[in-house]
Amino acid sequence: MAERAHPRITGVHALSALGRGADALLAGVLAGAPAFTPVRRFDTTSRRVTVAATLPEVGNLADELTDAVDRACRAAGLDRTHRAGAALFLATHGGPHSLPGPAGDPTRPAGGTDAPPEVPALAGHLARRCGLGGRTRTYTTACVSASTAVADAATLIGRGDLDRVVVAAGYLVEPDQYALFDAGRALAADGAVRPFSAGRRGLLLGDAVVAVVLESGRAAAARGAPALATVAGWGRAGDAYHPCQPHPEGRGLARAVEAALRRAGLPAAAVGYVNANATGTPYSDASEAAALGRVFGAAAGRIPVSSTKSVHGHALEASGLLELVVTVLALGHGKLPINAGWLGPDGTCPLDVITDAPRPTPTPHALTLNAAFGGANTALLVSAP
């Protein structure tokens, strides 16, 4: 596969309940201390569950996205000329949090004078604010929004249609989605996310505002930009098994992983870490474990696996990008993140889960997986430079 076909990641920025910036994110996931605290952003007194992973001091979503894009571009060393030709692919949730709202609501733009329009026009608004002059796209495909945006960016860069794409994603925990997940009894009543563990009881939501700069090898080399990682492969597949549940044998996710491996030109044995989608729900975690078994066979029980949602929470549309950044940072640092909340092994998830302390990276290649309602599945395979 030609060098051009493997996009480079040259800049990242992330906000989560673990703090602002890549250093805070990496330190948090390696420490493995969950960031779930009582929600203060809105009233949860009528809710079954009252905790989430939120950052106390945040601006409105549009401003935080603008800041993330700008910081990622600066981290990549993009000047005004480089930005002018860059596309922006934005993954976020549409709805009332994009509109002007009352003072004190951090998910809504304050005042009415500079309020951005609704999604999808928000992407154009952000591009103008950040000096990005290329095409824009928006993704609102639930929990695979950001990973789908990365796969599309990688495809377009790989075939030479684009040289540079900024992928951004944002979700700040807000009352509407929180109420839906709580009413559906998807949130963990014990206040902990326990992926792949016995006694797991559900997911918890978390903040994430993230931006990543992807460039062709030629474009990065032309300006002497070092790569943090290479997006070596990507895959997408649907199983359409159930509106809310994945196929119990993990068929869709397995096909996505197999496609990522084929595109990367790597054997399954090359993968040294899986940052799993695992949300801490009984059914979907078991399905994901089955998917890994379908792809890796007996070796699935020997590949280090963790789900960092156990620390930073589930950021819905932004999850795929936050977890991609976690994976890139972990490979660069040479240590693999902890799967928090572990109570003990579950027979439906026969995996090598990282539970006690970060481990050294055994290979330079890692997978980060995401899945969404409706049977959508994505796999991104990244390689250390």
Side-chain angles (χ1 to χ4, degrees):
M1 187 174 289
E3 179 187 26
R4 186 184 186 101
H6 295 298
R8 275 53 168 168
I9 295 175
T10 56
V12 302
H13 181 74
L15 171 157
S16 72
L18 301 172
R20 292 179 181 270
D23 291 344
L25 178 61
L26 179 62
V29 297
L30 292 181
F36 305 111
T37 58
V39 174
R40 307 295 184 202
R41 189 172 291 167
F42 50 85
D43 184 15
T44 60
T45 54
S46 63
R47 301 294 166 215
R48 172 174 165 267
V49 177
T50 60
V51 299
T54 57
L55 190 66
E57 300 295 330
V58 291
N60 63 67
L61 184 58
D63 286 347
E64 292 291 2
L65 281 165
T66 301
D67 183 66
V69 169
D70 182 63
R71 288 179 182 273
C73 288
R74 282 191 275 144
L78 299 184
D79 61 21
R80 184 175 299 178
T81 301
H82 297 133
R83 292 191 188 202
L88 174 65
F89 291 3
L90 173 65
T92 192
H93 186 75
H97 68 273
S98 298
L99 296 171
D105 182 346
T107 67
R108 301 182 183 215
T113 57
D114 192 33
E118 276 277 36
V119 175
L122 179 58
H125 175 84
L126 296 175
R128 289 190 296 274
R129 291 179 73 176
C130 297
L132 306 179
R135 69 179 72 175
T136 62
R137 286 186 176 185
T138 56
Y139 294 78
T140 56
T141 47
C143 305
V144 296
S145 296
S147 49
T148 300
V150 171
D152 280 357
T155 299
L156 292 169
I157 290 172
R159 71 188 190 193
D161 291 358
L162 297 173
D163 272 332
R164 186 173 296 117
V165 180
V166 180
V167 179
Y171 175 72
L172 297 175
V173 177
E174 41 70 51
D176 294 341
Q177 291 300 305
Y178 192 97
L180 288 173
F181 278 90
D182 185 65
R185 295 186 171 268
L187 300 182
D190 60 352
V193 180
R194 309 182 189 279
F196 301 122
S197 172
R200 59 190 184 275
R201 300 184 64 183
L203 63 90
L204 293 171
L205 298 177
D207 288 346
V209 182
V210 194
V212 172
V213 178
L214 289 89
E215 302 186 69
S216 67
R218 182 181 65 182
R223 59 188 192 85
L228 300 174
T230 298
V231 181
W234 51 97
R236 291 172 283 192
D239 55 46
Y241 173 76
H242 184 275
C244 300
Q245 295 178 350
H247 193 284
E249 297 175 6
R251 293 179 181 177
L253 188 57
R255 288 198 300 272
V257 172
E258 289 164 349
L261 288 167
R262 285 196 303 271
R263 187 167 272 113
L266 290 172
V271 175
Y273 171 61
V274 176
N275 190 343
N277 175 73
T279 59
T281 54
Y283 192 96
S284 64
D285 286 12
S287 172
E288 186 168 11
L292 295 175
R294 292 178 72 89
V295 176
F296 297 103
R302 300 190 294 271
I303 301 171
V305 176
S306 63
S307 171
T308 55
K309 288 184 178 76
S310 61
V311 177
H312 55 62
H314 196 329
L316 303 184
E317 287 83 0
S319 285
L321 205 59
L322 183 66
E323 291 156 23
L324 173 64
V325 171
V326 166
T327 306
V328 167
L329 296 175
L331 287 178
H333 194 68
K335 291 185 178 180
L336 302 179
I338 292 173
N339 190 103
W342 184 258
L343 295 176
D346 185 299
T348 66
C349 303
L351 302 171
D352 182 14
V353 182
I354 304 168
T355 59
D356 296 324
R359 296 188 198 171
T361 52
T363 79
H365 309 292
L367 282 164
T368 179
L369 309 180
N370 290 97
F373 289 159
N377 304 276
T378 59
L380 301 174
L381 198 158
V382 294
S383 301

